[in-house]
Amino acid sequence: MTSGITRHALLRCFMRTRRLISEHRTPKPLCSDRSYATGEIKSPKIYTKTGDKGFSSTFTGERRPKEDHIFEALGNTDELSSAIGLAREFCLDKGHTFTDQLDKIQCILQDVGSNIATPRSSAREIHRKRTKFSPQAITDLETWIDHFTEELPPLTNFILPSGGKSSAALHLARTVCRRAERSVAPIVRSGEADPDVAKFLNRLSDYLFTVARYAAMKETKEEKIYRRPE
């Protein structure tokens, strides 16, 4: 079976094609008593059985074993999006105003996955154009980090993941982000993915750390300070 991120990209492509087809059809009269349809377009099944033997496909059509570094990175990126999604639910419950940023980040992570799933060694120009990663996402993260940092008290001690459920969940997402970055780094160094993808993940972990502190401050929750055990 293809990875979750690749499969979602293919599903979006299918739905877009279906929409274009419907837009160019001649509309039927509302009271027509005759149908000329030869069949309905059905949505693809969630299972494909193509991965049952331990292989999966990249966006370029390559078949690779599921333990390949490409799919490891895709899995970590998918897990990161899930962790952010969970943190977002806690933040929504508390009325935090930055949840729209988390929404955007989850969408960008889909683009990250698309880029990773398109190894340059087997990609044609059309593949590269469709999965090109925009550096604007990095600039947005830096802008958000600077904004939150202006409101936060100076960091004078090591802090432990804490500060309420929202903050702790964002810290957990930060650690998953670091793992995703570590798995993407060798792919970027080999020239198989866009360097801006690694930069984005590096900056994203800083963002998650900062916004975790911001959430704790807004909820007036105490952040646990590291103290050497006596």
Side-chain angles (χ1 to χ4, degrees):
M1 181 180 290
T2 55
S3 69
I5 291 177
T6 306
R7 186 168 61 248
H8 292 160
L10 292 174
L11 181 58
R12 289 199 305 273
C13 180
F14 171 84
M15 295 304 294
R16 183 163 56 250
T17 303
R18 181 179 178 181
R19 187 173 63 253
L20 289 172
I21 292 172
S22 65
E23 287 173 353
H24 287 83
R25 280 188 184 143
T26 302
K28 294 191 300 180
L30 292 177
C31 299
S32 172
D33 59 356
R34 177 181 290 182
S35 173
Y36 296 93
T38 57
E40 295 182 356
I41 300 176
K42 296 182 179 180
S43 296
K45 292 183 178 180
I46 193 64
Y47 58 89
T48 64
K49 302 183 181 180
T50 58
D52 289 352
K53 294 183 179 180
F55 287 82
S56 193
S57 298
T58 66
F59 183 58
T60 59
E62 278 187 271
R63 296 291 290 173
R64 297 191 180 196
K66 291 191 174 185
E67 67 271 19
D68 186 270
H69 60 291
I70 292 289
F71 299 122
E72 179 69 21
L74 286 173
N76 289 333
T77 305
D78 192 19
E79 185 179 345
L80 170 58
S81 182
S82 297
I84 290 175
L86 178 61
R88 175 184 173 279
E89 293 302 314
F90 286 125
C91 293
L92 280 171
D93 288 344
K94 293 296 183 179
H96 288 297
T97 58
F98 55 79
T99 53
D100 59 324
Q101 296 175 4
L102 300 179
D103 291 338
K104 183 174 182 179
I105 288 167
Q106 285 184 289
C107 290
I108 294 171
L109 285 173
Q110 291 291 116
D111 297 334
V112 167
S114 295
N115 190 274
I116 296 169
T118 311
R120 291 183 174 183
S121 60
S122 60
R124 298 193 300 272
E125 186 61 27
I126 189 173
H127 292 135
R128 296 188 182 192
K129 285 183 178 179
R130 289 183 63 183
T131 60
K132 183 176 175 59
F133 188 79
S134 172
Q136 180 60 44
I138 302 169
T139 302
D140 289 344
L141 285 177
E142 292 173 345
T143 299
W144 297 339
I145 292 170
D146 292 342
H147 170 74
F148 292 130
T149 301
E150 288 178 359
E151 297 191 42
L152 288 168
L155 187 62
T156 57
N157 295 286
F158 288 110
I159 60 172
L160 305 178
S162 55
K165 292 180 180 178
S166 300
S167 179
L170 288 164
H171 276 296
L172 178 61
R174 170 182 58 82
T175 63
V176 178
C177 185
R178 286 297 191 193
R179 172 152 48 85
E181 182 189 2
R182 289 192 298 271
S183 63
V184 167
I187 300 174
V188 169
R189 279 198 302 272
S190 68
E192 292 283 65
D194 192 323
D196 283 334
V197 166
K199 291 179 184 178
F200 174 78
L201 292 172
N202 186 29
R203 210 70 80 250
L204 178 55
S205 61
D206 294 331
Y207 167 85
L208 291 169
F209 176 81
T210 303
V211 80
R213 295 194 63 219
Y214 183 80
M217 181 187 73
K218 285 296 184 179
E219 294 179 26
T220 63
K221 298 286 187 178
E222 184 179 359
E223 293 179 293
K224 192 173 181 180
I225 304 298
Y226 164 76
R227 301 184 190 282
R228 184 183 296 274
E230 298 180 357

